[in-house]
C-alpha cells in the first residue's frame, strides 16, 4: 500500500529562503514567519497523512454510488470532511467577515498541496467549494454573500461550478441552459450540465451550484451568458434550509480515476436561481476564479508526481536486483538495491527535479495572485495571467509523466493495485483535461496571453530572468551550473516568441501548430528560473554556515540535474516550432 510523508521542510525552504515571504510588502505576509507557517503546515500535514491518505485507496476502490437521488461518498469521506471543517481549513484564506481566517492565498496553496497529494479526489470537493465561494465573494450581491459564504467556509455547505453541457465543452458559446426571469427577481433555470465535480454528495446539508445559462433575448454567443446561484435547498430568511429546489443528479460518470469524487450529470428542471453579478457577464464572473482554479490543477499535476516519487524511491531503496557495475555495494545481500543503477537514478532524478521545481513555480504563482489581489498590482495580475496556462499545461503533462516514471521504477509491481502507483497514474491523467485541456491552454498562451499588453508582460518575464542572471554572475558555481543553461533556455524562448510575431502574422497556422511546444518550452524555462533561484538560496545558506549541509547540497545537485538533463529540451521545442505549420498540416483530412 502506498505511503506519504508531507514535505514540509521543502515547502518551508521555498516560502522563507526562496520567496522570502516574511520580507514581502504584500499585506499579511509579515505575519507569515517560519514558526507560524511551520505550525500550520505541520498540522495540515498530520491531517493529510493520518486522515486523508489512508482514504485514498478506499475512495478508489469504493467509488461513489447514486442511490435515490443522493450520492453516497466512500467510507470515511464524511468524517474527513467534518475534521477539515472543524479545523477551519475550508476558509483558510477567506475573509474573516464571512467566517474565514484571512490568510494569504499562498498559505492556502501550500496546505492544499498536502491535502491534494494525500487524496486528490477528496480535495476536489474542498477546492471546487472554494472556487465557487471565490466567485460569489467578488461578484455576488451582499445578500448572496451573507447567505452562502459563511456556510461554505464553515463546511456546512459545499459549492460547484456548472459550465459544460453534453454538446459543448470549451466552446461555451454553444450552451443551451436557459434562465427565464420571474416577477420576484429570480430565474427559472432549465438545462443539463455534465462533469460536475461534487454536484451531488452526502458530505454537506446543502450544495450551492453556480450555473452558466442564457437569458432569452440576450446577445448571441458568450456575450449572452449569465451566471446564477442555484442552491440544492432554498435558504430561508433565518439561514435554515427550506424546500428542495427543482434540480437533481441524473447520473454518475464511470471514470478512469478520481473515483472518490462524484462527477455528476446535473438536471435543472425550472430550478430557482438568482443572477450573480451583471446580466450577460457570466464569463467575467467565471474568469474571476479561473487563475485560482487552473493554479490548483497545476498543483495537482506535481502533487501526484510527489506521492508517486516518494513510493518509487522507497521501492528503489529496498528492491534487490543485480549488482552495481562499479563494485558490489551490499555484499551481505544476494543483490544490490536497484537505486545503484544509473537508469533507475535517471528516472528518480527526473521525478524529483520536476516535483521540486513545479512546487516552487506554483508557490511563486500563488504569491503573484496575492500581490495582484492584496495590492491591486496590475503587473502581477498580468504576469500570473501569462504564466497560468504554462503552469497548468506543463505541470500536469509532466506530473502525469512523473507518475509513469515512478510506475516504471517499480517494474511489474507498478502495474498492480497492491503498490498503489497505478492509481496515481490514473488520477493524474484527468488534470491534463479539465479546467481547459492542455491543447486549449497552449492556444490561450499563444493566441491571447503572449500578445497581451503589446507583448510587455512577456518582456517583463525576460527582464526578470535577465536581472537575476546579471545580479548573480559573480557566483562562479551558480553561473556554470545554472545561469548559463538558464540564459540559453531564455534565448530559445525569445527566439520562439519572435518566430510567432513574424511568421504568425503571415500565417496564423504557424503559431497554432507550434503552440503546444511553446507551452513546454516556456514551462522548462520557468522551472529552470525557479531552480536557479533555489540554487542561489541553497548556496547562500551554505555560505552562511548552515549545519544542514546535506539538505542544501541535495537541492543544488537536484537543480543541477534539471539544468543539465531537462532544460536542454528547449532547443528541441524551438526546432519543432520553427518547422512551421507545413509538417503538421501536410495531410488532407481524408488521408489520416
Amino acid at each position: 500500500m502506498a505511503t506519504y510523508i508531507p514535505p514540509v521542510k521543502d515547502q518551508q525552504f521555498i516560502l522563507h529562503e526562496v520567496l522570502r515571504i516574511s520580507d514581502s510588502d504584500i499585506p499579511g505576509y509579515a505575519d507569515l514567519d517560519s514558526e507560524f507557517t511551520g505550525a500550520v503546515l505541520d498540522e495540515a500535514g498530520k491531517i493529510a497523512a493520518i486522515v486523508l491518505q489512508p482514504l485514498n485507496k478506499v475512495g478508489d476502490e469504493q467509488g461513489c454510488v447514486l442511490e435515490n437521488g443522493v450520492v453516497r461518498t466512500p467510507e470515511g469521506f464524511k468524517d474527513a470532511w467534518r475534521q477539515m471543517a472543524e479545523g477551519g481549513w475550508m476558509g483558510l484564506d477567506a475573509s474573516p467577515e464571512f467566517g474565514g481566517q484571512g490568510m494569504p492565498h499562498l498559505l492556502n496553496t501550500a496546505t492544499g498541496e498536502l491535502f491534494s497529494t494525500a487524496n486528490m479526489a477528496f480535495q476536489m470537493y474542498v477546492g471546487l467549494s472554494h472556487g465557487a465561494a471565490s466567485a460569489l465573494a467578488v461578484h455576488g450581491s451582499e445578500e448572496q454573500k451573507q447567505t452562502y459564504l459563511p456556510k461554505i467556509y464553515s463546511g456546512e455547505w459545499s459549492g460547484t461550478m456548472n459550465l459544460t453541457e453534453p454538446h459543448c465543452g470549451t466552446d461555451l458559446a454553444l450552451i443551451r441552459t436557459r434562465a427565464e426571469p420571474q416577477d420576484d427577481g429570480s430565474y427559472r433555470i432549465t438545462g443539463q450540465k455534465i462533469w460536475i465535480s461534487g454536484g451531488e454528495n452526502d458530505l454537506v446539508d446543502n450544495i450551492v451550484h453556480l450555473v452558466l445559462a442564457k437569458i432569452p433575448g440576450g446577445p448571441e454567443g458568450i456575450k449572452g451568458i449569465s451566471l446564477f446561484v442555484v442552491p440544492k435547498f432554498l435558504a430561508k430568511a433565518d439561514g435554515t434550509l427550506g424546500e428542495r429546489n427543482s434540480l437533481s443528479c441524473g447520473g454518475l460518470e464511470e471514470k478512469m480515476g478520481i473515483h472518490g469524487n462524484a462527477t455528476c450529470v446535473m438536471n435543472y428542471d425550472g430550478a430557482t436561481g438568482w443572477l450573480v453579478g451583471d446580466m450577460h457577464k457570466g464569463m467575467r464572473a467565471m474568469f474571476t476564479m479561473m487563475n485560482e482554479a487552473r493554479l490548483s490543477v497545476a498543483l495537482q499535476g506535481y502533487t501526484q508526481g510527489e506521492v508517486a516519487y516518494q513510493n518509487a524511491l522507497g521501492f528503489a531503496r529496498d528492491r534487490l536486483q543485480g549488482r552495481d557495475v562499479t563494485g558490489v555495494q551490499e555484499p551481505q545481500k544476494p543483490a544490490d538495491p536497484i537505486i545503484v543503477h544509473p537508469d533507475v537514478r535517471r528516472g528518480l532524478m527526473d521525478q524529483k527535479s520536476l516535483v521540486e521545481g513545479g512546487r516552487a513555480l506554483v508557490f511563486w504563482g500563488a504569491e503573484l495572485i496575492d500581490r495582484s489581489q492584496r495590492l491591486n498590482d496590475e503587473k502581477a495580475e498580468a504576469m500570473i495571467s501569462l504564466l497560468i496556462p504554462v503552469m497548468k499545461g506543463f505541470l500536469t503533462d509532466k506530473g502525469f509523466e512523473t507518475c509513469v516514471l515512478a510506475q516504471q521504477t517499480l517494474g511489474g509491481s507498478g502495474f498492480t493495485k497492491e503498490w498503489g502507483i497505478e492509481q496515481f497514474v490514473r488520477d493524474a491523467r484527468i488534470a491534463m483535461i479539465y479546467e481547459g485541456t492542455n491543447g486549449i491552454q497552449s492556444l490561450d498562451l499563444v493566441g491571447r496571453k503572449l500578445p497581451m499588453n503589446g507583448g510587455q508582460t512577456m518582456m517583463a518575464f525576460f527582464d526578470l530572468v535577465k536581472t537575476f542572471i546579471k545580479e548573480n554572475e559573480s557566483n562562479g558555481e551558480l553561473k556554470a551550473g545554472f545561469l548559463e543553461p538558464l540564459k540559453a533556455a531564455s534565448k530559445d524562448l525569445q527566439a520562439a516568441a519572435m518566430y510567432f510575431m513574424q511568421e504568425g502574422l503571415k500565417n496564423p497556422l504557424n503559431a497554432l501548430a507550434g503552440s503546444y511546444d511553446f507551452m513546454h518550452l516556456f514551462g522548462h524555462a520557468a522551472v529552470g528560473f525557479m531552480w536557479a533561484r533555489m540554487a542561489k538560496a541553497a548556496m547562500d545558506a551554505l555560505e552562511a554556515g548552515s549545519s544542514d549541509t546535506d539538505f542544501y547540497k541535495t537541492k543544488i545537485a537536484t537543480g543541477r540535474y534539471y539544468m543539465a538533463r531537462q532544460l536542454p529540451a528547449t532547443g528541441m521545442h524551438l526546432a519543432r516550432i520553427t518547422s512551421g505549420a507545413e509538417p503538421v498540416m501536410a495531410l488532407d483530412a481524408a488521408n489520416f
Side-chain angles (χ1 to χ4, degrees), residues 298-380:
L299 178 146
Q300 289 177 347
Y302 82 78
T303 59
Q304 295 311 289
E306 165 73 39
V307 69
Y309 163 69
Q310 286 192 19
N311 284 272
L313 176 61
F315 184 91
R317 285 171 169 166
D318 294 337
R319 173 70 167 174
L320 303 180
Q321 187 96 10
R323 290 294 188 184
D324 186 341
V325 295
T326 64
V328 174
Q329 296 299 309
E330 299 197 24
Q332 74 280 12
K333 296 180 180 179
D336 290 330
I338 63 172
I339 198 169
V340 304
H341 304 307
D343 190 60
V344 173
R345 292 285 190 97
R346 173 195 59 79
L348 291 172
M349 289 296 284
D350 280 346
Q351 296 164 53
K352 180 177 175 64
S353 62
L354 185 280
V355 166
E356 295 182 16
R359 175 182 295 116
L361 184 58
V362 166
F363 280 25
W364 179 39
E367 181 194 38
L368 287 170
I369 289 177
D370 278 331
R371 180 169 292 280
S372 68
Q373 293 179 348
R374 293 183 170 228
L375 287 172
N376 294 316
D377 189 321
E378 293 182 358
K379 291 183 178 179

Side-chain angles (χ1 to χ4, degrees), residues 31-282:
D31 298 327
L32 303 181
D33 58 46
S34 60
E35 183 177 354
F36 177 76
T37 59
V40 172
L41 294 173
D42 282 341
E43 189 61 30
K46 290 176 184 177
I47 294 174
I50 298 172
V51 177
L52 300 183
Q53 195 276 332
L55 295 177
N56 197 42
K57 185 177 182 181
V58 174
D60 186 59
E61 293 179 342
Q62 292 186 5
C64 296
V65 179
L66 178 62
E67 296 177 341
N68 300 319
V70 177
V71 169
R72 306 298 179 191
T73 55
E75 182 180 348
F77 272 43
K78 196 168 186 177
D79 184 61
W81 180 274
R82 178 188 59 77
Q83 292 187 57
M84 290 279 286
E86 290 176 351
W89 300 106
M90 310 296 190
L92 186 67
D93 63 343
S95 170
E97 180 184 356
F98 303 110
Q101 298 188 51
M103 293 292 106
H105 185 63
L106 175 57
L107 192 58
N108 188 67
T109 300
T111 57
E113 174 196 323
L114 303 175
F115 301 145
S116 181
T117 312
N119 195 325
M120 177 177 164
F122 177 88
Q123 178 62 10
M124 286 174 64
Y125 292 106
V126 180
L128 266 296
S129 293
H130 188 280
S134 295
L136 283 171
V138 175
H139 296 280
S141 66
E142 188 60 31
E143 181 181 0
Q144 289 169 349
K145 293 176 186 178
Q146 294 293 343
T147 300
Y148 300 112
L149 295 186
K151 296 288 189 180
I152 295 176
Y153 294 142
S154 69
E156 296 172 74
W157 297 355
S158 63
T160 73
M161 285 294 294
N162 289 238
L163 284 67
T164 307
E165 299 183 6
H167 59 281
C168 69
T170 301
D171 191 356
L172 293 174
L174 301 177
I175 68 171
R176 296 172 184 162
T177 299
R178 312 298 288 177
E180 299 282 350
Q182 304 298 300
D183 292 339
D184 64 357
S186 67
Y187 290 79
R188 294 297 182 195
I189 312 298
T190 302
Q192 186 179 78
K193 298 290 185 176
I194 63 171
W195 302 335
I196 309 307
S197 300
E200 175 59 45
N201 65 77
D202 61 354
L203 302 175
V204 293
D205 297 329
N206 198 13
I207 304 172
V208 182
H209 301 287
L210 294 188
V211 183
L212 288 182
K214 291 184 176 179
I215 300 171
E220 293 296 320
I222 61 173
K223 293 182 179 180
I225 294 176
S226 299
L227 182 67
F228 301 87
V229 58
V230 190
K232 177 181 175 180
F233 289 96
L234 303 180
K236 296 180 181 179
D238 62 0
T240 60
L241 297 182
E243 63 181 290
R244 170 72 184 254
N245 211 345
S246 300
L247 59 90
S248 61
C249 174
L252 292 178
E253 302 292 350
E254 296 185 9
K255 310 184 297 292
M256 174 180 175
I258 55 169
H259 295 159
N261 192 269
T263 305
C264 302
V265 176
M266 296 301 299
N267 296 320
Y268 295 88
D269 303 305
T272 300
W274 291 268
L275 183 67
V276 177
D278 297 329
M279 188 182 298
H280 311 315
K281 301 296 183 182

Side-chain angles (χ1 to χ4, degrees), residues 453-464:
N453 301 328
Q456 291 182 32
T457 306
M458 189 73 236
M459 294 305 299
F461 176 82
F462 290 134
D463 287 342
L464 285 174

Side-chain angles (χ1 to χ4, degrees), residues 438-452:
N438 288 354
I440 294 295
Q441 301 301 319
S442 70
L443 296 179
D444 177 50
L445 173 63
V446 170
R448 295 179 65 244
K449 303 302 176 57
L450 181 61
M452 71 178 181

Side-chain angles (χ1 to χ4, degrees), residues 325-506:
V325 295
T326 64
V328 174
Q329 296 299 309
E330 299 197 24
Q332 74 280 12
K333 296 180 180 179
D336 290 330
I338 63 172
I339 198 169
V340 304
H341 304 307
D343 190 60
V344 173
R345 292 285 190 97
R346 173 195 59 79
L348 291 172
M349 289 296 284
D350 280 346
Q351 296 164 53
K352 180 177 175 64
S353 62
L354 185 280
V355 166
E356 295 182 16
R359 175 182 295 116
L361 184 58
V362 166
F363 280 25
W364 179 39
E367 181 194 38
L368 287 170
I369 289 177
D370 278 331
R371 180 169 292 280
S372 68
Q373 293 179 348
R374 293 183 170 228
L375 287 172
N376 294 316
D377 189 321
E378 293 182 358
K379 291 183 178 179
E381 171 64 25
M383 183 61 71
I384 189 58
S385 295
L386 172 68
L387 291 171
I388 281 295
V390 178
M391 294 180 183
K392 194 280 182 183
F394 181 74
L395 291 181
T396 57
D397 275 356
K398 289 297 181 179
F400 176 73
E401 182 181 307
T402 297
C403 291
V404 173
L405 281 168
Q407 186 180 43
Q408 191 72 15
T409 304
L410 271 70
S413 297
F415 202 64
T416 65
K417 286 184 176 292
E418 177 185 359
W419 292 85
I421 299 287
E422 60 86 31
Q423 181 188 344
F424 304 140
V425 173
R426 289 185 288 106
D427 286 352
R429 186 63 183 85
I430 186 57
M432 302 159 71
I433 297 173
Y434 59 17
E435 290 297 343
T437 66
N438 288 354
I440 294 295
Q441 301 301 319
S442 70
L443 296 179
D444 177 50
L445 173 63
V446 170
R448 295 179 65 244
K449 303 302 176 57
L450 181 61
M452 71 178 181
N453 301 328
Q456 291 182 32
T457 306
M458 189 73 236
M459 294 305 299
F461 176 82
F462 290 134
D463 287 342
L464 285 174
V465 173
K466 289 177 182 176
T467 299
F468 180 84
I469 291 173
K470 186 175 182 180
E471 289 177 347
N472 294 283
E473 281 184 322
S474 60
N475 185 326
E477 182 183 4
L478 190 67
K479 182 176 181 180
F482 293 88
L483 301 186
E484 291 299 331
L486 178 59
K487 185 183 296 184
S490 182
K491 287 182 178 179
D492 286 342
L493 186 60
Q494 292 178 63
M498 186 61 67
Y499 173 83
F500 287 150
M501 291 176 63
Q502 295 174 345
E503 299 301 321
L505 292 175
K506 298 176 184 177

